[in-house]
Amino acid sequence: MAVDLLLGLQWGDEGKGKIVDVLTSKYDIIARFQGGPNAGHTLEFDGIKHVLRTIPSGIFHKDSINIIGNGVVIDPVVFMKEIEGLEQFKIDFVNRLLISRKAHLILPTHRLLDAASEAAKGKAKIGSTLKGIGPTYMDKTGRNGLRVGDIELEDFEQRYRTLADKHESMIQFHDVDMQYNLPELEEEFFQAVKELQKLTFIDSEEYLNRALKEGKTILAEGAQGSLLDIDFGTYPFVTSSNTTAAGACTGLGIAPNRVQEVFGIFKAYTTRVGSGPFPTELHDEVGATMASVGREFGSVTGRARRCGWLDLVALKYAVEVNGVTELYMMKADVLSGFETLKVCTKYTYKGETINYLPYNIEPENVEPIYEEIKGWNADLTGMTSYDQLPTELKAYIQFIENYLDVPVKVVSVGPDRKQTIIK
């Protein structure tokens, strides 16, 4: 069997958690391949809102196995709190949640180092979530990191001490005023590590490739969005891992020829959290309305999201980089009530008109060129079939499909798993 991928195509927050939850019944295994607790996947069903940080979004389906792959970074403290928050659902975590031994650990000093580094940047800060993600990936590529499998070694605490001492010297180097109680943080960390050991650790690449040979179906779940990819995103305002399709191969240990369908998720408009360029950002009442109606606040950080019109230039870039085969449009309901919609189809880049994403999209270099499309004024949240959707919304979808040359297969009209229309 093959592996299908589910990816965000913008700057994150596209609604991946909901779609994974919707799709899970079709797959035997849901596997998370990158990111850490800086990502919040929101699921809503039975009138309850759930936010998952590290645990794959298929955890609420009793017949699915959920795997945290080697490309993920895990904060044991945050992770165990996430487990505790799900205890009421009587989930068999030992048998249904499996963790790769090659996944890297976020230490308390990683979080402190993250905060010190960001504070030292001043106005040049990149908008880090301060969860220790960046420093953990730096240790990974610097070959200094600790991994889940190291917990099983007799000298784990010694390895921890060596790395934590190095981090403390780096924190002092940043020369910022920080107050913290490391022994207290470490006590919490080692207690969480002890609890983590009660779960099941696996050699995930062997497990997944064996599952494929046995005919199992696998859905790989990404975190963040393609425009935050460390290589292909709006660098340096990006995350520290590969959020694109290629990251699924390195983050799970599967070969590229195992990938079949690539499901790309995008909002009917565009949002971004934190710093970084955003060509179609709106600083007016329209942007404020999008934020209010769309409840545009980070599920993990609580930070307000910047809002703007749909940027098809950036979206086409993400579609091409990922090899997207199907598109899923989220939050169509948020745009109800706008008389006219604008869609960015080209840029003015250094005085020249272009239709691709250039190296630098800072506002001094790029200005969006829009086409206008008639809006719709209908409550979509109770609609259950594509035929019920307003003609103007169907025209909007058709415009997007024609530009991207990829079909829109799903239209989300609300946060609940039931508010999902298959086209």
Side-chain angles (χ1 to χ4, degrees):
M1 297 295 289
V3 180
D4 292 340
L5 308 185
L6 185 128
L7 307 160
L9 299 180
Q10 295 162 312
W11 281 290
D13 310 306
E14 298 94 350
K16 294 177 288 295
K18 170 185 171 174
I19 296 300
V20 172
D21 179 55
V22 169
L23 293 176
T24 294
S25 60
K26 299 179 181 179
Y27 296 91
D28 300 307
I29 298 170
I30 308 299
R32 172 89 177 269
F33 64 84
Q34 51 78 219
N38 54 341
H41 287 182
T42 303
L43 299 75
E44 289 193 32
F45 54 87
D46 300 332
I48 304 174
K49 179 179 179 180
H50 311 272
V51 178
L52 300 175
R53 298 190 180 192
T54 309
I55 297 173
S57 301
I59 197 65
F60 293 106
H61 294 258
K62 64 179 181 179
D63 295 325
S64 70
I65 297 295
N66 292 263
I67 294 177
I68 297 173
N70 59 275
V72 178
V73 292
I74 300 173
D75 184 327
V77 175
V78 174
F79 187 74
M80 294 316 302
K81 287 179 180 177
E82 193 174 344
I83 293 284
E84 290 171 14
L86 297 176
E87 284 181 350
Q88 60 178 304
F89 300 103
K90 308 299 181 185
I91 296 168
D92 181 4
F93 289 109
V94 173
N95 293 305
R96 286 176 44 208
L97 180 62
L98 313 178
I99 306 171
S100 171
R101 287 187 172 89
K102 290 187 172 71
H104 278 247
L105 294 170
I106 301 173
L107 313 188
T109 45
H110 280 131
R111 297 200 305 272
L112 296 173
L113 189 57
D114 202 356
S117 174
E118 190 77 341
K121 290 184 175 78
K123 292 182 179 180
K125 64 182 181 180
I126 62 172
S128 170
T129 58
L130 307 181
K131 304 294 182 184
I133 310 297
T136 305
Y137 276 114
M138 287 173 67
D139 273 340
K140 176 178 178 176
T141 57
R143 296 165 292 179
N144 295 307
L146 292 178
R147 301 185 290 179
V148 168
D150 293 330
I151 293 173
E152 299 172 315
L153 303 179
E154 290 184 4
D155 64 344
F156 173 68
E157 289 195 25
Q158 181 182 336
R159 290 174 181 234
Y160 168 87
R161 186 78 273 141
T162 299
L163 185 54
D165 287 348
K166 177 183 177 182
H167 289 162
E168 280 215 273
S169 66
M170 294 169 69
I171 291 168
Q172 294 170 9
F173 171 80
H174 284 297
D175 193 26
V176 293
D177 184 21
M178 282 184 61
Q179 303 296 321
Y180 59 89
N181 186 333
L182 186 55
E184 185 177 303
L185 295 174
E186 290 180 336
E187 182 179 356
E188 186 181 32
F189 173 80
F190 281 106
Q191 181 58 41
V193 166
K194 187 176 179 181
E195 293 298 315
L196 187 65
Q197 285 181 283
K198 296 177 182 178
L199 299 177
T200 305
F201 300 165
I202 62 170
D203 297 316
S204 54
E205 61 277 19
E206 187 277 333
Y207 183 100
L208 288 166
N209 281 289
R210 176 161 43 86
L212 286 170
K213 290 177 182 177
E214 293 171 354
K216 298 288 178 62
T217 53
I218 300 172
L219 179 65
E221 174 188 20
Q224 288 95 25
S226 297
L227 298 180
L228 292 173
D229 185 272
I230 185 67
D231 285 296
F232 300 105
T234 49
Y235 191 89
F237 303 98
V238 293
T239 193
S240 302
S241 58
N242 286 112
T243 61
T244 47
C249 296
T250 57
L252 293 175
I254 55 173
N257 62 0
R258 291 292 195 177
V259 176
Q260 184 166 294
E261 302 293 340
V262 180
F263 308 133
I265 302 182
F266 70 101
K267 283 178 181 172
Y269 49 103
T270 310
T271 65
R272 178 164 198 168
V273 171
S275 307
F278 183 175
T280 63
E281 183 175 8
L282 295 168
H283 301 280
D284 56 13
E285 188 177 333
V286 173
T289 299
M290 286 180 184
S292 175
V293 175
R295 295 184 292 175
E296 294 296 354
F297 297 91
S299 55
V300 169
T301 64
R303 293 188 297 179
R305 297 181 187 132
R306 301 150 62 190
C307 296
W309 296 117
L310 183 63
D311 187 338
L312 285 181
V313 179
L315 195 56
K316 186 168 188 176
Y317 170 81
V319 165
E320 291 175 344
V321 167
N322 288 299
V324 173
T325 58
E326 293 184 10
L327 289 165
Y328 295 176
M329 186 170 83
M330 312 301 289
K331 291 198 170 185
D333 52 300
V334 175
L335 292 185
S336 293
F338 290 104
E339 186 175 337
T340 302
L341 304 176
K342 291 184 178 181
V343 182
C344 173
T345 57
K346 296 176 183 176
Y347 293 151
T348 298
Y349 177 66
K350 297 182 178 180
E352 178 187 354
T353 299
I354 62 172
N355 60 0
Y356 63 89
L357 196 74
Y359 176 76
N360 185 300
I361 60 168
E362 294 290 350
E364 63 268 22
N365 292 320
V366 163
E367 185 177 337
I369 298 174
Y370 294 107
E371 290 190 39
E372 293 190 353
I373 298 176
K374 188 178 180 182
W376 57 90
N377 190 11
D379 182 1
L380 309 181
T381 56
M383 296 182 181
T384 56
S385 72
Y386 191 77
D387 291 340
Q388 292 176 299
L389 297 179
T391 302
E392 294 83 0
L393 173 52
K394 292 178 182 177
Y396 186 64
I397 294 169
Q398 185 66 59
F399 185 90
I400 292 168
E401 289 180 324
N402 290 343
Y403 189 97
L404 300 176
D405 198 26
V406 179
V408 173
K409 290 290 189 178
V410 169
V411 181
S412 176
V413 293
D416 194 278
R417 62 162 64 143
K418 295 178 181 177
Q419 295 172 299
T420 309
I421 294 174
I422 311 297
K423 178 171 173 287

